[in-house]
Amino acid sequence: MTDLDQAPAPAAAQSEQARRTFLDVGGMTCAACVGRVERKLNKLDGVRAVVNLATRTATVEHAPTVTVEQLTGTVEAAGYTAAPKSPNPRRAILAEERERRDVLRRLIVSLVLFVPAADLSIVLATIPSTRFPGWQWVLLALSLPVVTWGAWPLHKRAFLGARHGAATMDTLVSVGIISATAWSVVTVLTPGRERPDPHGFWNAIIQSDPIYLEVAMGVTVFVLAGRYFEASARAKAASALRELATRGAREVSVLVRDGSELRIPVGELREEQLFVVRPGETIATDGIVESGSAFVDNSAMTGESRPVPAGPGEKVVGGTVCQDGRLTVRATAVGEDTTFAAMLRLVEDAQATKARMQRLADRVSAVFVPCVFAIAALTFVGWLIGSGIDSAVKSAIAVLVIACPCALGLATPVAFMVASGRGAQLGVYVRGHQALEATETIDTVVFDKTGTVTTGVLSVAAVSVAPGFTEDAVLRLAGAVESASEHAVARAVVARAGSDLPAVEDFRAVPGLGATGTVDGAAVRVGSPRFVEPGVLSAAVAAAAGSGRTVAVVEVDGAVAAVLEVADTIKADAADAVARLHEAGIRTVLLTGDNTAAAAKVAALVGIDDVRADVLPDGKVAAVRELQESGLRVAMVGDGVNDGPALAAADLGLAMGTGTDVAQSAADVVLMREELSAVPDALGLARATLKTIKTNLVWAFGYNVAAIPVAVAGLLNPLIGAAAMAFSSFFVVWNSLRLRRFGAR
């Protein structure tokens, strides 16, 4: 559930016609900017907005009566730029690259002028006898290009904010730079005001002369350096997601009626069209292979580079790569309906959420800048009364430039952005911060069996036929009914029955039990012994259950016809995945509708602690709630239709991406890998991300709490304060980037 879902939206926004719009927002530099944009947007009737500083994106859910022009106009009226998010991620990359180059140009020029100015200032402050006539004018000439042209983006955003009654980090920095420059100019124009007495190198660093030109230059350089690093780090943080977003094919070769091929943009491809994929090409969209065979690299979706074979009848996913063969594929989903698009939406929706910790930071940031200005003013007055104008100016400027609301704003979104990208590389997609926060207290993981702990690729290992029936006839009838079902056992029965099956009428699935239908006029029921009484074949059922196999009983016109024994294979990494969970102190439970013997055998081979078998879908929900009522925090892992309610009921739902849409829509985390190791990977990544976010916030809060009093006490040269402020943001971003290495072996 996202922040947009949690907010009490107006009735208009809750209608079926409610829309979601993504806006690129320019000019935001700190959490105060985020709070201002959110407040302005949320004042519109029928609008709920969440703004992300790291991605510079506003996610807006609005009534159809609210236009995109109104949304962008509201953001612009707040002093920022806004435009609908481009569907082409390459355009956003180019725009950010232009911004980085502009910052870099200003940084290089400012740094070239700052270094000699700083050296000269330190020498002149340390050894006053070296001061030569006109030295002040030399410093002024070196500083003016830096504090005007170099710092222009800061002044511009501060001015725009002031026009709209807003104060942000840029306001703090701009006022600090202007104040230092203005006071220095006054000092230069008032001969004899600079201190003539030597005060040593250390005092030159800790304190300062009344001429603060090197301070104004240094603040500009450090802020520009921080902005450039932050922009570069954001690009690195989003690189995995952008790689995912740009992997889709641009063009596709479709087959026309005469058998020839026509190259068209992938956006023009339609469902049921046949298209050709050659070696090395990206598969344009989801589909079913009609002819040909090849190995397909699914790493774009699953994070696993191991190629998988694809042949006639096999499903392929758009965005994956055909390695070595030629495939003819029938499109089954296009555009926004593809798996690829769904995964991108998961990431976008996740970015539109905020953790509880970040919401606290946002509330603090809303009053942070005004409080800093108030503290700076009080500091100025206090030092003016106690020590004079020079100390008052120095201390007030130090307060302005040491404060860093930027670190508060970046603490959570940058970490989550990096984690989202790393998760995509690992085939793990987290829906939002609520899912992350839930992982912190999880102490029990409940697994579905078929398709989760086992491969789900079942096969009919044996058929016991009742007198009066033949195996072929029973399989033909059972296969016809099961052809309408998505269950793994049903697929095994269909595979054994063959492809030439009659149509089924009056089909009805009974979740967790079986299915019924009419085939060639005969009433057919296929399901577990709890659904279809085995009667004369009870011994066959008992023998199959004793060997750990799943049993399906077939009934035709009220008479028991056959018992089908279905065998499954445990996933190769299941035991290792369970062991990793145990190492993390997490208890494991196997929850299945299968018989007790089959479930117990699987649990013993894998090492699962507890087994609950013969459980119906509503029984799975009851089992999850029973565990919760006993004080446990439960994560549920499943893949089938019958797992949906339990996934939704659990404290954290993890759906295998190879499972059904119902399971995925009910889950908090989607695992695109078939391997069960994705479960400890997902929990581990989520916990590592939470730890990173907490470290970031502790640093961001702690830094400001400790640094501002030091500046108020007059113990801080504003130049050192500017460097510390830049380092604060640097630390938050660097700490977040460490998540890119999570799980690297």
Side-chain angles (χ1 to χ4, degrees):
M1 181 178 289
T2 68
D3 286 18
L4 297 174
D5 296 323
Q6 290 178 325
Q14 293 175 347
S15 71
E16 293 183 359
Q17 296 181 336
R19 299 171 183 172
R20 178 169 289 191
T21 298
F22 295 94
L23 301 177
D24 285 322
V25 181
M28 296 192 301
T29 57
C30 65
C33 301
V34 170
R36 179 169 176 79
V37 175
E38 282 187 349
R39 286 193 299 274
K40 290 292 184 181
L41 286 171
N42 286 327
K43 284 182 180 179
L44 296 174
D45 289 338
V47 169
R48 282 292 178 267
V50 175
V51 180
N52 188 304
L53 178 62
T55 60
R56 308 295 170 90
T57 300
T59 304
V60 188
E61 188 173 280
H62 57 97
T65 53
V66 179
T67 65
V68 174
E69 288 74 19
Q70 285 179 279
L71 298 176
T72 56
T74 300
V75 175
E76 290 167 356
Y80 306 90
T81 62
K85 193 172 185 65
S86 171
N88 183 0
R90 295 176 181 84
R91 188 174 301 173
I93 295 172
L94 291 175
E96 290 193 6
E97 183 58 34
R98 285 194 298 270
E99 180 183 347
R100 284 202 301 274
R101 284 199 299 266
D102 179 66
V103 172
L104 182 59
R105 280 195 302 269
R106 296 177 190 273
L107 173 60
I108 291 173
V109 173
S110 300
L111 186 61
V112 167
L113 295 173
F114 168 67
V115 170
D119 290 343
L120 181 61
S121 296
I122 291 175
V123 171
L124 294 175
T126 306
I127 312 173
S129 60
T130 61
R131 293 175 178 174
F132 54 87
W135 62 269
Q136 308 99 315
W137 298 100
V138 173
L139 285 177
L140 190 60
L142 289 171
S143 64
L144 283 179
V146 177
V147 300
T148 54
W149 178 80
W152 175 246
L154 310 175
H155 299 320
K156 179 181 177 181
R157 283 192 282 264
F159 174 72
L160 289 174
R163 281 182 56 193
H164 296 89
T168 66
M169 178 184 170
D170 287 320
T171 311
L172 294 175
V173 175
S174 178
V175 170
I177 293 171
I178 292 172
S179 300
T181 304
W183 184 247
S184 299
V185 171
V186 171
T187 302
V188 169
L189 296 176
T190 310
R193 292 206 69 257
E194 65 274 6
R195 277 196 298 262
D197 58 305
H199 45 270
F201 179 79
W202 179 249
N203 283 335
I205 295 297
I206 298 300
Q207 301 186 37
S208 179
D209 269 347
I211 295 179
Y212 297 120
L213 292 173
E214 81 281 5
V215 171
M217 297 172 73
V219 169
T220 302
V221 168
F222 287 128
V223 171
L224 288 175
R227 294 283 167 85
Y228 179 74
F229 171 79
E230 180 189 323
S232 300
R234 280 203 317 270
K236 289 181 181 177
S239 61
L241 297 178
R242 283 179 175 155
E243 180 184 356
L244 181 68
T246 56
R247 271 199 173 188
R250 296 185 182 182
E251 292 186 333
V252 58
S253 296
V254 297
L255 290 177
V256 295
R257 290 182 178 180
D258 61 2
S260 61
E261 297 179 21
L262 176 65
R263 197 77 173 167
I264 63 172
V266 71
E268 296 179 8
L269 185 65
R270 297 292 179 261
E271 287 187 32
E272 298 302 316
Q273 276 189 298
L274 293 176
F275 63 94
V276 176
V277 187
R278 293 180 175 81
E281 289 187 343
T282 299
I283 297 174
T285 192
D286 296 358
I288 302 292
V289 177
E290 292 287 315
S291 64
S293 62
F295 278 92
V296 176
D297 179 1
N298 287 327
S299 58
M301 295 302 301
T302 67
E304 292 293 326
S305 58
R306 176 172 54 86
V308 296
E314 299 279 351
K315 292 182 180 179
V316 290
V317 177
T320 57
V321 179
C322 177
Q323 287 193 331
D324 61 354
R326 182 181 187 276
L327 300 175
T328 300
V329 181
R330 183 178 300 277
T332 57
V334 295
E336 295 300 309
D337 297 328
T338 64
T339 303
F340 194 72
M343 294 303 101
L344 288 177
R345 281 197 300 274
L346 276 182
V347 175
E348 289 176 342
D349 290 345
Q351 297 289 358
T353 69
K354 287 188 178 182
R356 291 190 300 271
M357 295 174 286
Q358 184 61 35
R359 289 192 286 271
L360 172 62
D362 287 349
R363 287 195 292 270
V364 172
S365 299
V367 298
F368 183 88
V369 174
C371 286
V372 170
F373 272 117
I375 293 170
L378 292 173
T379 300
F380 179 83
V381 172
W383 280 99
L384 181 64
I385 295 172
S387 300
I389 187 68
D390 291 336
S391 296
V393 171
K394 182 197 71 139
S395 299
I397 292 174
V399 170
L400 291 175
V401 299
I402 193 68
C404 189
C406 192
L408 287 171
L410 292 172
T412 296
V414 171
F416 191 70
M417 182 195 298
V418 178
S420 297
R422 184 56 184 153
Q425 292 176 330
L426 295 172
V428 174
Y429 294 83
V430 180
R431 290 191 182 276
H433 288 284
Q434 289 79 13
L436 279 182
E437 291 167 342
T439 63
E440 190 172 26
T441 57
I442 293 298
D443 53 23
T444 303
V445 174
V446 176
F447 292 99
D448 171 55
K449 183 176 78 68
T450 304
T452 303
V453 175
T454 63
T455 62
V457 182
L458 305 178
S459 60
V460 176
V463 179
S464 300
V465 181
F469 293 93
T470 65
E471 180 176 320
D472 290 343
V474 171
L475 286 172
R476 183 172 179 274
L477 295 172
V481 171
E482 296 287 47
S483 65
S485 174
E486 291 185 341
H487 197 277
V489 172
R491 291 195 295 269
V493 174
V494 173
R496 178 64 180 269
S499 58
D500 187 18
L501 298 173
V504 59
E505 299 175 353
D506 302 324
F507 173 81
R508 184 173 68 91
V510 183
L513 292 174
T516 66
T518 302
V519 182
D520 292 340
V524 181
R525 285 157 49 95
V526 185
S528 72
R530 288 170 294 132
F531 184 57
V532 182
E533 174 60 45
V536 296
L537 296 178
S538 296
V541 170
S547 65
R549 289 177 174 175
T550 299
V551 175
V553 182
V554 182
E555 179 186 275
V556 178
D557 288 333
V560 175
V563 168
L564 311 180
E565 299 180 27
V566 181
D568 197 358
T569 304
I570 295 173
K571 290 183 177 178
D573 69 333
D576 178 64
V578 171
R580 287 173 58 190
L581 292 174
H582 288 164
E583 289 173 4
I586 296 175
R587 176 189 178 194
T588 54
V589 178
L590 186 65
L591 195 61
T592 177
D594 211 342
N595 64 75
T596 302
K601 183 176 181 180
V602 170
L605 291 172
V606 173
I608 290 178
D609 302 315
D610 187 12
V611 178
R612 305 195 179 194
D614 294 315
V615 180
L616 297 177
D618 55 348
K620 289 186 177 182
V621 174
V624 167
R625 288 178 176 161
E626 180 185 337
L627 292 169
Q628 292 170 326
E629 289 168 0
S630 67
L632 300 175
R633 297 283 292 176
V634 179
M636 173 73 190
V637 186
D639 74 321
V641 172
N642 59 350
D643 297 322
L647 288 168
D651 299 294
L652 181 71
L654 298 95
M656 307 302 290
T658 53
T660 66
D661 293 339
V662 173
Q664 292 182 34
S665 63
D668 303 297
V669 181
V670 177
L671 310 174
M672 293 304 297
R673 282 155 50 193
E674 295 184 10
E675 290 81 1
L676 207 62
S677 59
V679 175
D681 281 348
L683 296 178
L685 176 61
R687 290 181 172 184
T689 305
L690 278 177
K691 182 178 179 181
T692 299
I693 290 172
K694 288 181 178 179
T695 303
N696 288 349
L697 287 171
V698 167
W699 168 264
F701 278 112
Y703 161 82
N704 285 291
V705 168
I708 292 177
V710 173
V712 171
L715 301 176
L716 191 67
N717 185 323
L719 187 62
I720 304 302
M725 179 268 293
F727 177 77
S728 179
S729 295
F730 169 87
F731 174 83
V732 166
V733 177
W734 168 81
N735 190 47
S736 299
L737 285 175
R738 294 190 305 125
L739 288 168
R740 296 173 71 197
R741 300 193 299 271
F742 175 84
R745 305 219 209 316

